[in-house]
Amino acid sequence: MIGAQQVEVFMDQQVSPSAVIATMEELHGYYIDELKAGMTDVYVRTVTETDIVQYSQISGDDNPVHVNEEFAKQTVFKGRIAHGMLTCGYISAVLGTKLPGPGCAYLNQNLNFRAPVRIGDTVQTRVTINEVKTDSNTVVCEIVCTIGEKVIIDGFATLWVPNRRKKD
């Protein structure tokens, strides 16, 4: 735990511009000129009860099909399912932290939800760059989320990716 006096010390410290630039360079993902069609990255996560409860609390989506087993048993799903947008968060994890990575920004996405995700399912999210448009600094990525061999989500996303920063 950081005390009030320690926070004041941190806030008084000066960081040189070169240190900030170095940190940005170290943290940054790919730049538009480094991306090529066919590049792929993956994120894998097993959905837990905690994930669903926390997502419900954070998003405000407490639809009983996600949080109430007795209700969910009476639906077409025959039991609780994870929020579709929770699984979409795994897509964001790949795009925002791996490929293209830090520095990119979502412009749009078009997704198809093919099958439900349940507690205990291990979801593999694969993002593949289909097209790089250097004139607009955008990439079009194919997205496929699977549980084993079964596709649960597929679609496309378009992202803006920055140019390499020019040295002063």
Side-chain angles (χ1 to χ4, degrees):
M1 175 73 70
I2 297 176
Q5 290 177 334
Q6 289 173 309
V7 170
E8 288 176 18
V9 170
F10 289 138
M11 294 182 74
D12 287 340
Q13 292 177 352
Q14 296 296 315
V15 178
S16 71
S18 62
V20 172
I21 291 170
T23 301
M24 287 295 291
E25 290 300 316
E26 291 170 0
L27 292 176
H28 209 286
Y30 288 97
Y31 294 97
I32 193 72
D33 64 315
E34 298 173 312
L35 296 170
K36 306 287 180 236
M39 292 175 76
T40 298
D41 216 319
V42 174
Y43 177 77
V44 178
R45 181 165 176 97
T46 300
V47 178
T48 68
E49 167 79 15
T50 301
D51 293 339
I52 292 173
V53 170
Q54 288 180 341
Y55 187 84
S56 178
Q57 291 170 341
I58 291 166
S59 68
D61 180 355
D62 59 1
N63 181 333
V65 77
H66 305 304
V67 297
N68 183 311
E69 184 64 30
E70 292 309 310
F71 175 90
K73 281 181 183 177
Q74 298 173 39
T75 70
V76 68
F77 301 111
K78 305 294 183 214
R80 289 174 57 200
I81 61 171
H83 301 75
M85 296 311 290
L86 170 64
T87 309
C88 289
Y90 306 156
I91 299 166
S92 185
V94 177
L95 296 172
T97 67
K98 295 181 171 200
L99 183 69
C104 73
Y106 253 115
L107 296 177
N108 68 56
Q109 68 180 9
N110 184 346
L111 301 174
N112 304 298
F113 293 83
R114 307 281 183 193
V117 176
R118 300 179 189 281
I119 295 168
D121 285 345
T122 299
V123 177
Q124 177 179 283
T125 301
R126 177 177 302 278
V127 171
T128 303
I129 295 180
N130 277 10
E131 186 177 2
V132 178
K133 301 176 184 179
T134 55
D135 60 324
S136 61
N137 282 64
T138 58
V139 294
V140 177
C141 300
E142 179 182 17
I143 294 154
V144 180
C145 299
T146 57
I147 298 170
E149 298 295 317
K150 185 175 195 171
V151 173
I152 56 165
I153 298 175
D154 62 4
F156 293 89
T158 303
L159 292 98
W160 175 85
V161 182
N163 290 316
R164 186 176 305 281
R165 189 173 172 160
K166 292 186 171 103
K167 305 285 184 204
D168 295 327

